[in-house]
Amino acid sequence: MEEKKIRIGVLASGGGSNLQAILDAVQGGALAFAEVVLVIANKEDAFALKRAQAAGVDSLFLDPRKFPSRADYFEKIIQECDARRVNLVCLAGFLLKIEPNMVKRFKNRMLNIHPALLPKFGGKGMYGHFVHEAVLKAGEKESGCSVHLVDDQFDHGAVILQRKVPVLPGDDPQTLAARVLEQEHALFPEAIRAFVHSPIYPDQLKNNG
Ligand code: GRF
């Protein structure tokens, strides 16, 4: 009998190294109970799309400028996810704010990765190098990354798992970002595993994984 797998949809805006970490974990068996069935990017040149193609995963570039409103844009994303029976959405470096229709549709079924130790250094404008600049400016001794549930505020939902890294003397935003990113790649698959086995994840979607 075929085992029912968790069907992951990934939204990305850029390089997609976190997407790759998820694909590798599926492939390598750490996430054997899951499969990535769709990757959507809001940027045509997002390398994440190439990674999806290389892995044989359906990929779509959806241009937000082609939609009358952001709600319409996310409605289209919902439709594409529904068409592939996605039951877990992972935001892997996706830079658009998620509209309420999408938040509602994937309540308790959407995870984001953020390159800091939330609740510190999250919120509007806290993305990419801005995060690491702020961490350095605040004189923090450690930073890290967080995977959290997505709600209607930026970087706000319940934290599932975190990993820490030291902030080292002489760090600049690039060196710190690289140290954090390495941990992100381990964290996202770990957090997916922890999350789908947690009581938050809807029971009917669980399987033998
Ligand atoms: C990561 O640092 C992620 O936390 C942030 O954007 C970066 C995306 O990297 N939100 P990638 O596209 O997964 O390589």
Side-chain angles (χ1 to χ4, degrees):
M1 202 181 80
E2 205 186 310
E3 231 177 65
K4 211 173 137 225
K5 289 194 174 179
I6 287 165
R7 300 173 64 81
I8 298 179
V10 177
L11 308 191
S13 300
S17 66
N18 278 293
L19 162 67
Q20 192 65 54
I22 295 169
L23 290 168
D24 291 348
V26 168
Q27 187 69 27
L31 292 180
F33 55 87
E35 58 187 321
V36 179
V37 296
L38 175 64
V39 173
I40 295 177
N42 64 316
K43 299 243 169 80
E44 193 164 20
D45 60 354
F47 192 65
L49 293 171
K50 296 267 186 311
R51 294 183 191 269
Q53 284 152 18
V57 173
D58 262 5
S59 61
L60 290 175
F61 157 56
L62 293 179
D63 187 347
R65 294 169 303 187
K66 298 266 163 67
F67 293 80
S69 71
R70 276 297 160 86
D72 290 310
Y73 181 66
F74 280 97
E75 204 52 51
K76 172 71 173 164
I77 293 180
I78 292 168
Q79 280 168 17
E80 296 293 349
C81 288
D82 283 349
R84 291 163 186 84
R85 292 178 289 116
V86 165
N87 41 34
L88 178 65
V89 173
C90 293
L91 308 181
F94 187 67
L95 295 179
L96 298 183
K97 184 163 192 302
I98 308 298
E99 287 289 311
N101 54 347
M102 177 90 185
V103 173
K104 193 166 164 226
R105 174 67 183 79
F106 288 99
K107 184 171 170 14
N108 287 339
R109 285 189 281 150
M110 182 155 45
L111 301 176
N112 180 46
I113 188 152
H114 183 77
L117 295 174
L118 293 172
K120 284 180 159 180
F121 306 105
K124 198 165 161 43
M126 275 292 169
Y127 62 90
H129 64 98
F130 296 112
V131 177
H132 307 294
E133 278 164 16
V135 169
L136 291 172
K137 199 169 169 210
E140 296 286 318
K141 293 281 172 288
E142 59 179 17
S143 188
C145 44
S146 310
V147 169
H148 65 94
L149 276 167
V150 177
D151 65 11
D152 52 7
Q153 294 174 49
F154 266 120
D155 305 324
H156 179 265
V159 170
I160 305 296
L161 276 185
Q162 295 183 313
R163 276 184 166 234
K164 292 179 179 174
V165 301
V167 176
L168 300 177
D171 262 343
D172 59 29
Q174 287 73 29
T175 57
L176 180 56
R179 194 174 307 119
V180 171
L181 189 60
E182 202 184 320
Q183 294 307 311
E184 290 182 47
H185 298 157
L187 180 70
F188 217 155
E190 255 176 34
I192 291 170
R193 169 169 271 281
F195 176 63
V196 300
H197 292 96
S198 79
I200 311 170
Y201 193 69
D203 266 342
Q204 69 272 21
L205 298 172
K206 285 186 183 159
N207 58 38
N208 308 326

